[in-house]
Amino acid sequence: MEVKPPVPQIPAPVWTEFKDLQEFEKYRQHRADDDKTSNALTSIADAIHHMPGGWIVTTSTDKIFNWARKSSIWPVTFGLACCAIEMMATFASRFDVERFGMVPWASPRHSDLMIVSGTVTIKMAPMLKRIYDQMPDPKWVVSMGSCANSGGPFRHGYHVVKGVDRVVPVDVYVPGCPPTPDSLMYGLLKLQEQVAHFSKTGERLPAAAETK
């Protein structure tokens, strides 16, 4: 007696009747055809030559160094008052400013950005200026919060500096009392634009303030 192997019964293709699969075909996103290189690479490349198995990028060392300088700003850890809590939240895991290449550093001699977050008193102003002088050039300053911008609610106090720009030059003003981490991130992105402009032209833009 001959034993025959079982013949599998293939069901009819009825997958199109399932609503989830119908929505999958309707709403799924397709990758663009020109998604071969990142926008960051395109911005610094003079030409990108696509070849089988990869691509070749031609650029100049100036563009590489300027892009690296813009994307690797190290702020000195310098908090004065309650705005520093928002600054710490910005550098924490939820907002993660390190994805912009910004690493908080405890040494002013290795930093190129000072974020003044909080009230600057007359007693603290000489220490702030000393830390600023220890930072290497080119260096940048972000004034974070109303107290650092203009003295805030303590402006008429006898002990408060009416704006940190009376002590050090400021490049970006971030308003708020206190500013949210989103506001500080927006100010840091504006600072990156200033750094990129300075790297290309050697001239600084006028101080920028975030507008709401």
Side-chain angles (χ1 to χ4, degrees):
M1 180 179 177
E2 183 181 0
V3 178
K4 297 182 178 181
V7 179
Q9 300 294 327
I10 302 176
V14 294
W15 67 270
T16 55
E17 299 178 4
F18 294 99
K19 182 179 179 181
D20 292 340
L21 296 177
Q22 291 175 1
E23 293 180 351
F24 167 75
E25 285 291 332
K26 184 177 180 180
Y27 296 113
R28 68 171 178 167
Q29 302 295 315
H30 297 277
R31 188 178 299 278
D33 295 334
D34 58 348
D35 187 27
K36 297 179 180 179
T37 56
S38 65
N39 294 330
L41 184 62
T42 306
S43 63
I44 64 173
D46 294 330
I48 301 178
H49 307 280
H50 296 280
M51 303 178 62
W55 30 264
I56 297 177
V57 178
T58 57
T59 183
S60 61
T61 54
D62 286 342
K63 288 187 177 181
I64 292 290
F65 291 153
N66 294 340
W67 171 79
R69 189 177 292 116
K70 181 194 75 171
S71 305
S72 60
I73 300 176
W74 286 12
V76 62
T77 53
F78 190 77
L80 292 174
C82 44
C83 282
I85 300 176
E86 298 296 324
M87 182 181 68
M88 287 184 279
T90 307
F91 283 91
S93 57
R94 180 174 182 179
F95 295 92
D96 191 20
V97 180
E98 290 189 7
R99 56 199 166 105
F100 298 136
M102 298 183 179
V103 180
W105 207 254
S107 171
R109 301 185 188 280
H110 298 84
S111 305
D112 48 7
L113 169 63
M114 173 185 286
I115 303 176
V116 183
S117 54
T119 311
V120 182
T121 62
I122 296 176
K123 191 175 182 178
M124 177 59 71
M127 288 69 174
L128 186 145
K129 184 66 165 60
R130 181 185 301 174
I131 294 176
Y132 176 81
D133 292 338
Q134 291 176 351
M135 296 169 58
D137 291 320
K139 48 194 171 187
W140 310 85
V141 177
V142 171
S143 177
M144 178 184 178
S146 299
C147 290
N149 293 341
S150 62
F154 313 106
R155 177 180 177 84
H156 299 292
Y158 69 93
H159 62 297
V160 174
V161 178
K162 297 173 177 58
V164 71
D165 50 8
R166 301 191 181 191
V167 183
V168 293
V170 175
D171 300 288
V172 176
Y173 295 88
V174 180
C177 187
T180 62
D182 309 83
S183 300
L184 179 57
M185 288 179 64
Y186 183 80
L188 294 175
L189 292 176
K190 285 295 182 182
L191 179 67
Q192 282 191 342
E193 296 177 4
Q194 293 202 20
V195 174
H197 177 80
F198 177 78
S199 300
K200 292 178 181 178
T201 64
E203 299 179 356
R204 291 179 181 261
L205 291 172
E210 177 192 348
T211 57
K212 295 187 178 181

